[in-house]
Amino acid sequence: MKLKLLPLAFVLAHSFINAQFSASLESNNQYYVDDSKIKLAENEAEERFRSNSYLTMSYKIGKFTVGAQVESYEPKALLNYYPEFDGVNVGTFYANYNNEKGLDITLGHVYDQFGSGLAFRTWEDRQLGIANSIVGGEVKYSGADNLYTLKALYGKQRVGFDWTNSTIAGVDTEFQLAKAFNTDAFTSSLGLSFVNKHESDDDYFVDPPKDVSVYGVRLNNEYKNFYLNLEYLYKTKDAIKMATEVDPVNFYSGNAVNLMFGYTKKGFGFNGNIRRLENFNLYSERNLIGNQYNQAVLNYVPALTKQFDYSLANIYVYQAQPQLTFFPQKKAGEVGSQFDLYYQFKKGTALGGKYGTNISLNLANWYGLKGTYRVYEDYNTVKTDFWSWGEKYYSDFNVDIRKKLSENWNSALIYIYQDYNQDRIEETSGRVYATTVAFDNIIKLNKSSLKVEVQHQWADSSYKNWAAALTEFNFMKNWSIFLNDLYNYGNDVKEDQLHYYSGGIVFRKNSTRVQASYGRQRGGLLCVGGVCRMVPENTGFTLNINTTF
Amino acid sequence: MKNFVLVFFLFATALSVQSQSLSNISAKNIEGKTIALDQMDDEKPLVISFWATWCLPCMEELGNVNEKIGDWKTEKDFNFVAVSIDDPRTVNKVKTVANGKSWEFDQILLDPSQSIKRQLNINNVPTTLVYYKDKLIYSHVGYVPGDEDDMFEKVKEAL
């Protein structure tokens, strides 16, 4: 190295001194076995050991960050993941520049969302096998004092280890209206979104629209303890799914209205949400519309119901029904509402007792859209009424009371009532009315603690009654052991009256958590954020490793 | 050769100085103001707790921290930031839950697109980190009662 290059090397080296490398590893491994009741399906039985692992690395030098995620599905991905998650490969990579003055540029894989995500959201959910980043670039800019923000992105969407044939372009802006008027008496922001997917012709489709666009406008307001957010979105004509195939002939537009409001003060909170969706799912590729693996999803349409913490309440889970379809059922979307109320009875009051009591109520109702459907051999139409509610898809009501009973004993009592229209949600048949009660306790014992949870569900059909219990003992600071059982004792079919038991041990230290267990997993929908993945019931050994370094 | 060794040494030093820096990480709080995390990491230690309204152990942890935080702060002052990873499904509930439960944390930040979670390489909630002068000095993943006391011990040791 020539001497005159030394200063340059020094500057470079100096900047590297301030560099940070960080990484995290998540590895979920399973060895499936057959027991007397549950056996692995024949087509899956060849590979009994399955593993999904993710190594995420980032390296930050001043204003630059580079990162990548290596994913391994070896020898095969866990049961019922998207089959293209196969082998070892680089899942995502990116380079980012952020000048700390409002400019942020990313090249590579981009995760982001516009507004509430109804127009555009990319995210990763490893349990569901969702990793739908845009491979391309994004520029974000925030004007002085965050008066406005602008985002623009362009690229293709990740599907498995590949990406879609279509290209995605998106622009989102947000203006702080109250700031512009120089007032801080209230806050108000106006947001505008535009998302476009461009996809070339395809022999399967008859004259499909090459461009599908979503236009969105949103207004968020806050005044003292109140808030009111309203958004409207419109989607231009796109294909729809009919039973197992995407309709090659008919294309339909869609729209969404979302209203959120609430009031909050210390010890009290209220939220309301009303939403109407008509043909409002969005996929980056026509062929993948409505696919069971949640691949190529471009927007986020969560079910607006309470996300339940207790296993029995997660048997009949509502999934948002934004889709238009004429076969096997006629559906055009959903309309409904959700309300939440939180209240804290203060310490020293009659209901608050010595330590205070927290109570929360939640109520949700979801219906199909009422409309006139006309079905011809190869031409179908629908005309919906804007606020007419059709058949009920789902409702629930739940009460959650949490109270500290003594210095070392926290308890919770939960009541959940669900009305689940299986016929319309799962497109099978039946309707289930289920009542679930859970009693949850955490008791502190010197330096250890014990969790004891019991649940019962009364259901009039489908699986009928369940009883469940979970106990977990945490000891020596870093260790936990747990035993869990869900017993479907009320099932009409005697052979299906199964115990879904599991037991295991957990070790935690700093940023590392290792869990080893053995047991049975109930089959059905595994849902995160109201987005679900079907898992078959199975028995086996599980080893999960999670660490950041 | 000497220069090469020097450069190599400096690079190696750089690589050994590893932890997730807080620079360039900001998010909106529940009042709608943008907060930069490195500005909260001042002379006092900074605790960052990742949580979600639907995560039972997170609610347990934050409830227990809230009960003790007043006493702790009179003993040794520090900043406590609760970063909600609630996505658009539940993000509206964050403010009502925080107020409904009378939480008294320094900041409650919203990370609905999970960008802070990704920037700090967090896999799951709850995860709690303690920073002091832009260095990660303690972390725990998951929660069992008593973890909050360990966290406060580390805060005291830092000062």
Side-chain angles (χ1 to χ4, degrees):
Chain A
M1 191 181 284
K2 285 190 174 156
L3 219 63
K4 59 183 175 190
L5 285 180
L6 247 185
L8 181 68
F10 211 79
V11 170
L12 259 176
H14 184 74
S15 65
F16 272 69
I17 281 188
N18 295 314
Q20 288 92 21
F21 173 78
S22 95
S24 73
L25 173 75
E26 180 172 340
S27 180
N28 303 317
N29 308 281
Q30 195 122 19
Y31 185 81
Y32 299 100
V33 299
D34 292 340
D35 65 23
S36 58
K37 301 277 185 187
I38 300 173
K39 295 189 174 20
L40 201 57
E42 254 174 52
N43 58 333
E44 303 279 9
E46 252 177 46
E47 221 48 91
R48 289 187 172 270
F49 174 71
R50 311 280 184 105
S51 171
N52 292 7
S53 300
Y54 312 84
L55 175 67
T56 311
M57 295 160 288
S58 64
Y59 193 68
K60 201 169 185 175
I61 316 156
K63 291 168 183 167
F64 293 91
T65 310
V66 290
Q69 178 165 294
V70 179
E71 299 171 17
S72 158
Y73 305 91
E74 283 284 3
K76 220 174 165 185
L78 299 176
L79 283 182
N80 224 26
Y81 269 78
Y82 183 51
E84 300 294 313
F85 286 125
D86 186 29
V88 183
N89 213 330
V90 177
T92 60
F93 54 85
Y94 67 90
N96 172 270
Y97 169 78
N98 184 317
N99 75 348
E100 294 179 59
K101 288 174 190 152
L103 179 67
D104 185 292
I105 302 170
T106 306
L107 291 176
H109 287 256
V110 175
Y111 285 112
D112 205 350
Q113 72 181 50
F114 294 171
S116 70
L118 275 172
F120 172 81
R121 184 172 196 251
T122 51
W123 77 104
E124 185 188 25
D125 192 301
R126 293 170 182 172
Q127 275 197 70
L128 297 180
I130 294 179
N132 58 7
S133 49
I134 297 292
V135 195
E138 182 181 39
V139 177
K140 293 193 260 188
Y141 185 72
S142 301
D145 201 20
N146 291 314
L147 199 63
Y148 64 92
T149 54
L150 177 71
K151 295 177 184 177
L153 60 85
Y154 183 80
K156 289 176 177 286
Q157 190 170 33
R158 178 184 173 192
V159 177
F161 284 121
D162 201 357
W163 40 72
T164 53
N165 295 321
S166 60
T167 49
I168 309 300
V171 180
D172 184 74
T173 57
E174 198 165 288
F175 304 94
Q176 300 299 328
L177 300 176
K179 256 189 200 172
F181 292 122
N182 233 343
T183 172
D184 50 12
F186 66 97
T187 62
S188 180
S189 70
L190 172 71
L192 299 168
S193 303
F194 169 75
V195 178
N196 171 273
K197 70 162 168 169
H198 181 82
E199 198 176 356
S200 52
D201 280 348
D202 181 324
D203 290 344
Y204 174 78
F205 293 94
V206 181
D207 199 16
K210 282 184 188 165
D211 288 279
V212 176
S213 300
V214 173
Y215 302 88
V217 55
R218 60 182 188 272
L219 191 64
N220 294 352
N221 305 285
E222 248 179 81
Y223 175 69
K224 290 188 173 162
N225 298 326
F226 295 92
Y227 76 87
L228 179 92
N229 302 341
L230 179 65
E231 63 184 321
Y232 174 77
L233 300 103
Y234 177 79
K235 178 179 83 165
T236 61
K237 281 186 178 177
D238 196 3
I240 60 165
K241 192 169 187 187
M242 299 273 267
T244 54
E245 301 292 333
V246 179
D247 181 345
V249 182
N250 297 292
F251 306 96
Y252 302 87
S253 62
N255 62 76
V257 182
N258 192 16
L259 173 70
M260 291 165 275
F261 48 93
Y263 173 80
T264 170
K265 64 171 194 167
K266 212 170 179 180
F268 177 81
F270 167 77
N271 283 320
N273 198 342
I274 298 170
R275 187 176 74 181
R276 181 188 189 277
L277 302 172
E278 180 171 348
N279 185 25
F280 214 75
N281 47 15
L282 185 64
Y283 292 82
S284 58
E285 216 170 275
R286 284 178 215 117
N287 289 317
L288 289 169
I289 289 174
N291 73 87
Q292 60 160 320
Y293 297 110
N294 298 306
Q295 296 300 302
V297 172
L298 258 186
N299 68 345
Y300 185 52
V301 187
L304 295 180
T305 54
K306 189 177 166 76
Q307 190 149 329
F308 295 111
D309 303 305
Y310 296 94
S311 51
L312 295 186
N314 282 314
I315 294 174
Y316 306 109
V317 187
Y318 184 61
Q319 301 166 73
Q321 304 290 316
Q323 72 276 24
L324 169 66
T325 182
F326 294 88
F327 185 75
Q329 296 193 359
K330 296 180 186 71
K331 288 182 185 179
E334 66 164 32
V335 58
S337 61
Q338 181 187 207
F339 300 97
D340 284 291
L341 189 77
Y342 302 87
Y343 188 75
Q344 186 176 52
F345 293 99
K346 286 195 182 112
K347 289 177 188 175
T349 57
L351 289 170
K354 193 177 170 189
Y355 300 99
T357 304
N358 283 298
I359 179 163
S360 60
L361 307 177
N362 176 282
L363 172 70
N365 284 286
W366 293 95
Y367 299 83
L369 298 185
K370 204 170 185 174
T372 314
Y373 298 82
R374 291 185 195 281
V375 181
Y376 306 96
E377 201 172 324
D378 60 353
Y379 176 65
N380 309 310
T381 63
V382 62
K383 194 174 178 315
T384 55
D385 305 325
F386 196 74
W387 282 124
S388 281
W389 296 13
E391 192 182 346
K392 192 192 243 188
Y393 286 174
Y394 178 85
S395 71
D396 69 19
F397 170 68
N398 45 81
V399 185
D400 183 314
I401 303 165
R402 287 179 191 269
K403 183 155 183 54
K404 192 167 179 170
L405 295 176
S406 75
E407 192 56 47
N408 296 318
W409 184 6
N410 282 348
S411 77
L413 189 63
I414 292 96
Y415 167 87
I416 299 159
Y417 173 77
Q418 292 166 297
D419 168 358
Y420 181 80
N421 191 337
Q422 217 160 5
D423 173 30
R424 300 296 267 166
I425 301 168
E426 296 178 15
E427 301 192 357
T428 51
S429 64
R431 182 161 188 158
V432 188
Y433 299 92
T435 303
T436 310
V437 172
F439 183 44
D440 188 2
N441 298 278
I442 296 179
I443 300 149
K444 233 182 136 175
L445 312 153
N446 285 325
K447 294 207 163 176
S448 306
S449 69
L450 179 72
K451 179 181 166 81
V452 179
E453 178 193 299
V454 287
Q455 301 175 59
H456 191 272
Q457 183 174 77
W458 294 264
D460 68 328
S461 58
S462 192
Y463 295 103
K464 294 206 168 168
N465 288 8
W466 288 83
L470 163 74
T471 176
E472 182 184 301
F473 182 56
N474 306 300
F475 59 102
M476 284 165 61
K477 231 162 130 179
N478 304 117
W479 294 89
S480 306
I481 47 170
F482 66 90
L483 271 175
N484 187 19
D485 187 29
L486 279 70
Y487 180 32
N488 188 198
Y489 74 93
N491 202 312
D492 283 342
V493 183
K494 194 111 180 97
E495 300 81 73
D496 289 343
Q497 291 180 359
L498 293 189
H499 282 275
Y500 294 90
Y501 52 80
S502 63
I505 185 159
V506 181
F507 174 75
R508 298 180 313 131
K509 194 165 168 77
N510 304 331
S511 289
T512 300
R513 185 179 189 278
V514 180
Q515 175 173 333
S517 62
Y518 174 79
R520 286 174 173 172
Q521 154 90 46
R522 185 180 67 79
L525 291 169
L526 172 76
C527 303
V528 180
V531 180
C532 305
R533 179 172 78 89
M534 203 68 183
V535 287
E537 62 178 4
N538 60 74
T539 307
F541 295 92
T542 307
L543 177 69
N544 298 327
I545 301 164
N546 218 312
T547 185
T548 302
F549 47 88
Chain B
M1 184 63 196
K2 248 193 213 166
N3 296 329
F4 175 75
V5 170
L6 175 72
V7 172
F8 179 77
F9 175 73
L10 288 174
F11 273 53
T13 316
L15 278 172
S16 65
V17 185
Q18 53 169 261
S19 77
Q20 305 97 323
S21 163
L22 297 176
S23 66
N24 261 345
I25 300 177
S26 60
K28 281 194 174 157
N29 69 7
I30 50 173
E31 265 76 48
K33 288 200 180 87
T34 304
I35 305 292
L37 278 184
D38 56 355
Q39 278 169 18
M40 299 209 63
D41 181 29
D42 47 21
E43 291 307 303
K44 294 178 273 182
L46 170 65
V47 182
I48 307 172
S49 188
F50 286 85
W51 68 289
T53 53
W54 42 261
C55 157
L56 265 189
C58 306
M59 300 304 284
E60 189 75 27
E61 175 169 15
L62 292 179
N64 287 341
V65 168
N66 193 52
E67 268 180 34
K68 297 174 181 175
I69 199 162
D71 292 342
W72 283 346
K73 282 196 168 200
T74 43
E75 198 181 331
K76 283 277 184 226
D77 202 9
F78 63 99
N79 286 318
F80 191 94
V81 177
V83 180
S84 144
I85 63 151
D86 283 86
D87 69 23
R89 182 190 192 193
T90 46
V91 71
N92 282 315
K93 300 182 185 184
V94 172
K95 191 172 177 177
T96 29
V97 165
N99 277 339
K101 294 189 179 286
S102 305
W103 284 350
E104 293 183 351
F105 306 140
D106 296 281
Q107 287 294 346
I108 295 163
L109 302 183
L110 304 174
D111 189 23
S113 62
Q114 307 194 346
S115 84
I116 306 181
K117 183 172 169 257
R118 265 193 301 276
Q119 280 170 290
L120 291 178
N121 272 323
I122 304 296
N123 282 334
N124 291 312
V125 286
T127 294
T128 297
L129 313 171
V130 181
Y131 275 86
Y132 187 53
K133 299 193 169 163
D134 207 24
K135 285 222 171 69
L136 181 69
I137 56 167
Y138 169 81
S139 62
H140 67 246
V141 190
Y143 173 75
V144 298
D147 280 355
E148 73 278 14
D149 299 322
D150 291 349
M151 179 271 288
F152 182 58
E153 285 305 312
K154 295 291 170 187
V155 166
K156 283 196 290 187
E157 280 172 23
L159 284 167

